[in-house]
Coordinates of all heavy atoms in Angstrom, one line a residue:
D1 N -1.1 -26.4 29.2 CA 0.3 -26.0 29.8 C 1.0 -25.1 28.7 O 1.4 -25.6 27.8 CB 1.0 -27.3 30.1 CG 2.4 -27.0 30.6 OD1 2.8 -25.7 30.9 OD2 3.2 -27.9 31.0
E2 N 1.0 -23.8 29.0 CA 1.6 -22.9 28.0 C 3.1 -23.1 27.9 O 3.7 -22.5 26.9 CB 1.3 -21.5 28.5 CG -0.2 -21.2 28.5 CD -0.5 -19.7 29.0 OE1 0.4 -19.0 29.4 OE2 -1.8 -19.5 29.1
Q3 N 3.8 -23.7 28.8 CA 5.2 -23.9 28.7 C 5.5 -25.1 27.8 O 6.7 -25.3 27.5 CB 5.8 -24.1 30.1 CG 5.5 -23.0 31.0 CD 5.9 -21.6 30.5 OE1 7.0 -21.5 30.1 NE2 4.9 -20.8 30.7
A4 N 4.6 -25.9 27.4 CA 4.8 -27.1 26.7 C 5.0 -26.9 25.3 O 5.4 -27.9 24.5 CB 3.7 -28.2 27.0
F5 N 4.6 -25.8 24.7 CA 4.7 -25.6 23.3 C 5.4 -24.3 23.0 O 5.4 -23.4 23.7 CB 3.1 -25.3 22.7 CG 2.3 -26.7 22.9 CD1 1.5 -26.8 23.9 CD2 2.5 -27.8 22.1 CE1 0.8 -28.0 24.2 CE2 1.9 -29.0 22.3 CZ 0.9 -29.0 23.3
E6 N 6.0 -24.4 21.8 CA 6.9 -23.2 21.2 C 6.6 -23.1 19.8 O 6.8 -24.2 19.0 CB 8.3 -23.3 21.5 CG 9.2 -22.1 21.0 CD 10.6 -22.3 21.2 OE1 11.0 -23.2 21.9 OE2 11.4 -21.6 20.5
L7 N 6.0 -22.0 19.3 CA 5.7 -21.9 17.8 C 7.0 -22.1 17.0 O 8.1 -21.6 17.4 CB 5.1 -20.5 17.6 CG 3.8 -20.3 18.1 CD1 3.3 -18.8 17.9 CD2 2.7 -21.1 17.5
G8 N 6.8 -22.9 16.0 CA 8.0 -23.2 15.1 C 8.9 -24.3 15.6 O 9.6 -24.8 14.9
R9 N 8.7 -24.8 16.8 CA 9.5 -25.9 17.4 C 8.7 -27.2 17.4 O 9.1 -28.1 16.8 CB 10.1 -25.6 18.8 CG 11.0 -26.6 19.4 CD 11.5 -26.3 20.7 NE 10.5 -26.2 21.7 CZ 9.9 -27.1 22.4 NH1 10.3 -28.4 22.1 NH2 9.0 -26.8 23.3
N10 N 7.6 -27.2 18.1 CA 6.7 -28.4 18.2 C 5.2 -28.1 17.9 O 4.3 -28.9 18.1 CB 6.9 -29.0 19.6 CG 6.5 -28.1 20.7 OD1 6.1 -26.9 20.5 ND2 6.4 -28.6 22.0
I11 N 5.0 -26.8 17.3 CA 3.6 -26.6 17.0 C 3.8 -25.5 15.8 O 4.8 -24.7 15.8 CB 2.8 -26.0 18.0 CG1 1.3 -26.0 17.7 CG2 3.3 -24.7 18.5 CD1 0.3 -25.7 18.9
A12 N 3.1 -25.5 14.7 CA 3.2 -24.7 13.6 C 4.6 -24.8 13.0 O 5.3 -23.9 12.8 CB 3.0 -23.2 14.0
T13 N 4.9 -26.0 12.5 CA 6.2 -26.3 12.1 C 6.3 -26.5 10.6 O 7.5 -26.8 10.2 CB 6.7 -27.6 12.8 OG1 5.9 -28.7 12.5 CG2 6.8 -27.4 14.2
T14 N 5.3 -26.5 9.8 CA 5.4 -26.9 8.4 C 6.4 -25.6 7.8 O 6.2 -24.6 7.9 CB 4.1 -26.8 7.7 OG1 3.3 -27.8 8.2 CG2 4.3 -26.9 6.2
P15 N 7.3 -26.1 7.1 CA 8.3 -25.1 6.5 C 7.7 -24.2 5.6 O 6.9 -24.6 4.6 CB 9.4 -26.1 5.7 CG 9.2 -27.4 6.4 CD 7.7 -27.5 6.8
G16 N 8.0 -22.9 5.7 CA 7.5 -21.9 4.8 C 8.2 -20.6 5.2 O 9.1 -20.6 6.1
D17 N 8.0 -19.5 4.5 CA 8.6 -18.2 4.6 C 7.6 -17.1 4.6 O 6.7 -17.1 3.7 CB 9.8 -18.0 3.6 CG 10.7 -19.1 3.8 OD1 11.6 -19.0 4.7 OD2 10.7 -20.0 2.9
V18 N 7.8 -16.0 5.3 CA 7.1 -14.7 5.2 C 7.5 -14.0 4.1 O 8.8 -13.6 4.1 CB 7.1 -14.0 6.5 CG1 6.4 -12.6 6.4 CG2 6.5 -14.7 7.7
I19 N 6.7 -13.8 3.0 CA 7.3 -13.1 1.9 C 6.6 -11.7 1.6 O 6.9 -10.9 0.6 CB 7.1 -14.0 0.6 CG1 5.7 -14.6 0.5 CG2 8.1 -15.1 0.6 CD1 4.7 -13.7 0.0
Y20 N 5.7 -11.4 2.5 CA 5.0 -10.0 2.5 C 4.5 -9.6 3.8 O 4.0 -10.6 4.6 CB 3.9 -10.0 1.5 CG 3.2 -8.7 1.3 CD1 3.6 -7.7 0.6 CD2 1.9 -8.5 2.0 CE1 3.0 -6.4 0.5 CE2 1.3 -7.4 1.8 CZ 1.7 -6.3 1.2 OH 1.1 -5.1 1.0
R21 N 4.5 -8.4 4.2 CA 4.0 -7.9 5.4 C 3.4 -6.5 5.3 O 4.2 -5.6 4.8 CB 5.1 -7.9 6.5 CG 4.6 -7.5 8.0 CD 5.7 -7.4 8.9 NE 6.3 -8.7 9.2 CZ 7.6 -9.0 9.1 NH1 8.4 -8.2 8.6 NH2 8.0 -10.3 9.5
N22 N 2.2 -6.3 5.8 CA 1.9 -4.9 6.0 C 1.2 -4.8 7.4 O 1.4 -5.6 8.2 CB 0.7 -4.5 4.8 CG -0.5 -5.3 4.8 OD1 -0.9 -6.0 5.9 ND2 -1.2 -5.4 3.7
R23 N 0.4 -3.7 7.6 CA -0.1 -3.5 8.9 C -1.1 -4.4 9.3 O -1.4 -4.7 10.5 CB -0.7 -2.1 9.2 CG -1.9 -1.8 8.1 CD -2.6 -0.5 8.6 NE -3.8 -0.4 7.8 CZ -4.8 0.2 8.3 NH1 -4.8 0.8 9.4 NH2 -5.9 0.4 7.6
M24 N -1.8 -5.2 8.5 CA -2.9 -6.2 8.7 C -2.5 -7.5 8.7 O -3.1 -8.3 9.5 CB -4.0 -6.0 7.6 CG -4.7 -4.6 7.7 SD -5.3 -4.1 9.2 CE -6.6 -5.4 9.4
L25 N -1.5 -7.9 7.9 CA -1.2 -9.3 7.8 C 0.2 -9.7 7.3 O 0.8 -8.7 6.8 CB -2.1 -10.1 6.9 CG -1.9 -10.1 5.4 CD1 -3.0 -11.0 4.7 CD2 -1.9 -8.7 4.7
E26 N 0.7 -10.9 7.6 CA 1.8 -11.3 6.9 C 1.3 -12.5 6.0 O 0.4 -13.2 6.3 CB 2.8 -12.0 7.9 CG 3.5 -11.0 8.9 CD 4.4 -11.7 9.9 OE1 4.2 -12.8 10.2 OE2 5.3 -11.0 10.4

């Protein structure tokens, strides 16, 4: 059920921060 999950809310929730980004990765 694709409506049951939201990234950052109830899945992939471990606290962290994006500190670098280029065309290939964050």
Side-chain angles (χ1 to χ4, degrees):
D1 182 358
E2 296 176 358
Q3 306 306 313
F5 298 99
E6 181 184 346
L7 291 173
R9 181 178 65 83
N10 59 356
I11 195 168
T13 59
T14 299
D17 299 283
V18 177
I19 48 79
Y20 177 81
R21 178 186 294 126
N22 64 19
R23 65 174 186 145
M24 296 301 299
L25 86 174
E26 292 178 336

